[in-house]
Amino acid sequence: MTTPDDHRSTTATGTHASARRGGEDGGEEEPPFGPGSQFRGFLDDPRWALAVIRATVLEAAHPQVGAALMESSTFVAHPWRRLRNTLTSLQRMFGTDDHTREREAARLNRLHARLHGTDPRDRPYDAMDPAVRAWVVATLFESTVTMCRLSGQPLEQKVMERLYREFQAFLAAIEGHADHLPRTLDEFWPYYDRVVAEELENTEAMRIILYKLFDHLPAPPLLHGFPALWATGRAVAGPVAGAITVASLPEPFRRRAGLPEIAGVQTLMQSAYLAAGLARFLPEGWIRAENILDMLTLSPDSDDPRARTITALRDRMKRAGALVRLITPLPPEPEPTPGGEAQRSVREFFAEVLDQTGDGYLDWPDLAAMARELSSRLDLDEPEETRLYTAYADWWRELQSALDADGDGRVSAHEYATAVPSLAGPALIRVAEVLFDATDKNGDQTIDADEYRTLFRTAFHRDATGAAGTYGRSAFVSDFLSFMSGRRRTTPYDPLLADA
């Protein structure tokens, strides 16, 4: 059983003023960002997949973060998207380009400024609270340290000190200062233990991530069309992942939150971290986080060369899926519709596209999540981002006026299905127009291949009207409206707004 001090290095002594001024022997230390960054090397470490889930649970256990996640986050409904966006943001922040880092910090601040309100117990939450932002950074640092310890490769003291300074610099890049993180590593551990002991709670958001995330986890595009295979793997992986994460949490918090102690799980947890650590010895291209996420999200219909690999894997999975259906009572996989264009039912469209937060209702946080995802994809500056949010806000007011029959400020799946509205009204057309303008970076009234890839993260493979390799305004708006009101699956918008 772990003790509260297990995450510390046994060699920690004294203060670290000299370490802050320079590197070993008084030499100049590597800058906190760029290729020499200690943390940047962990982004492609397979162990970090376990660490980031653990950090997310500790974040969600903070009442303010938990409330923000429940009110506005798409983590439950779109985990793959959230994982990719987190990775992209960290790559921008820890990269070599100062301008990119400043833009990303400004984007994160605009995003967080929109996340505030009150929780079910009427306690205020605000994603811009400096203490809360410091806690989020603290969980990333501590989970990285714990990741190394659990995998049998604890960080040396000087490496840990340097890593801590990098996370302080990360917070300062966003917040303007790192005053809400302790000044030294020695001071960090009492701070961490105090927050764990006094502020964390068994929040609903934390319970969902631990126990329910896998229950409704949508299949990545690679596994679309294989519900039996995905359901079987999900049923096994979900409880195991939850148990491993619980076992890795600080023991004082496990006791306070009443999280179960299961015999043998500590050994299973350490084995999982050790196995992930061994994966680091695979060829570099196999374990790059970006490559793995591309394989999970790249559409097989794309003309990206990697799509051929996905197609080959899907062919093999079809054979595996056929075997699973022979030996399990799971329902058969649906037959494709003629012409290959699968249609959604009204309720499917509501759940997969409109209900971005996965709470069963359509309200402003759902449309704000769409605007947030599109703004992130296009790396918009403040004026363009505001235009997009404003267009979505106008569309929400139009939807609310037409569909909110009981006046509760949101639209239920039943209200939507009963009305079966035509969504292609003036406000939605305005959303499409603003999105086109934001995507058309050079303002030539067409979207070229590079602009197309930026938005959809796929190759330019549509049959565009007009000049070869361009996508005109009318075609873009027509395709967007067709997706939002026609409810067809076979468009580039599925990986963007419907898939996880």
Side-chain angles (χ1 to χ4, degrees), residues 349-431:
F349 179 68
F350 184 94
E352 295 177 10
V353 178
L354 297 179
D355 183 15
Q356 291 282 306
T357 58
D359 63 355
Y361 293 91
L362 170 64
D363 53 13
W364 168 240
D366 296 302
L367 300 192
M370 290 189 193
R372 186 165 63 242
E373 174 63 17
L374 294 168
S375 297
S376 177
R377 289 282 183 111
L378 296 169
D379 192 20
L380 299 183
D381 287 324
E382 192 279 331
E384 297 168 304
E385 183 181 285
T386 298
R387 286 185 66 212
L388 189 60
Y389 270 88
T390 300
Y392 267 101
D394 291 342
W395 185 37
W396 166 238
R397 285 189 286 269
E398 186 177 275
L399 288 173
Q400 189 178 22
S401 175
L403 305 181
D404 183 15
D406 58 9
D408 64 352
R410 58 187 184 176
V411 176
S412 68
H414 176 72
E415 287 173 331
Y416 177 80
T418 300
V420 193
S422 171
L423 296 182
L428 183 58
I429 294 173
R430 178 61 179 160
V431 170

Side-chain angles (χ1 to χ4, degrees), residues 99 345 441:
H99 179 64
S345 70
K441 293 291 189 181

Side-chain angles (χ1 to χ4, degrees), residues 6 12 20 34 42 51 75 79 81 137 172 179 266 278 324 333 418 421 425 430 434 437 480 488 496 498:
D6 278 347
R20 290 195 305 276
F42 287 123
F75 183 82
R81 177 200 298 174
V137 173
D179 294 349
Q266 285 285 337
L278 292 174
V324 170
E333 295 170 0
T418 300
R430 178 61 179 160
V434 172
D437 291 339
F480 183 80
R488 293 189 183 276
L496 179 59

Side-chain angles (χ1 to χ4, degrees), residues 130-208:
V132 174
R133 304 181 95 185
W135 174 247
V136 171
V137 173
T139 63
L140 289 171
F141 166 72
E142 190 275 338
S143 290
T144 305
V145 172
T146 298
M147 166 192 87
C148 295
R149 176 178 57 81
L150 292 177
S151 59
Q153 296 176 322
L155 297 177
E156 295 180 359
Q157 182 66 15
K158 289 184 178 179
V159 175
M160 199 187 308
E161 292 168 2
R162 178 182 166 193
L163 183 66
Y164 184 60
R165 290 192 294 275
E166 291 178 1
F167 275 96
Q168 287 176 309
F170 174 37
L171 179 61
I174 299 172
E175 187 73 11
H177 59 80
D179 294 349
H180 285 78
L181 276 179
R183 189 174 58 92
T184 68
L185 183 61
D186 281 349
E187 294 167 338
F188 173 81
W189 300 118
Y191 152 80
Y192 177 83
D193 288 339
R194 179 191 62 76
V195 175
V196 167
E198 299 177 7
E199 298 188 33
L200 300 193
E201 300 177 359
N202 189 344
T203 64
E204 183 180 359
M206 185 201 74
R207 293 192 298 272
I208 287 175

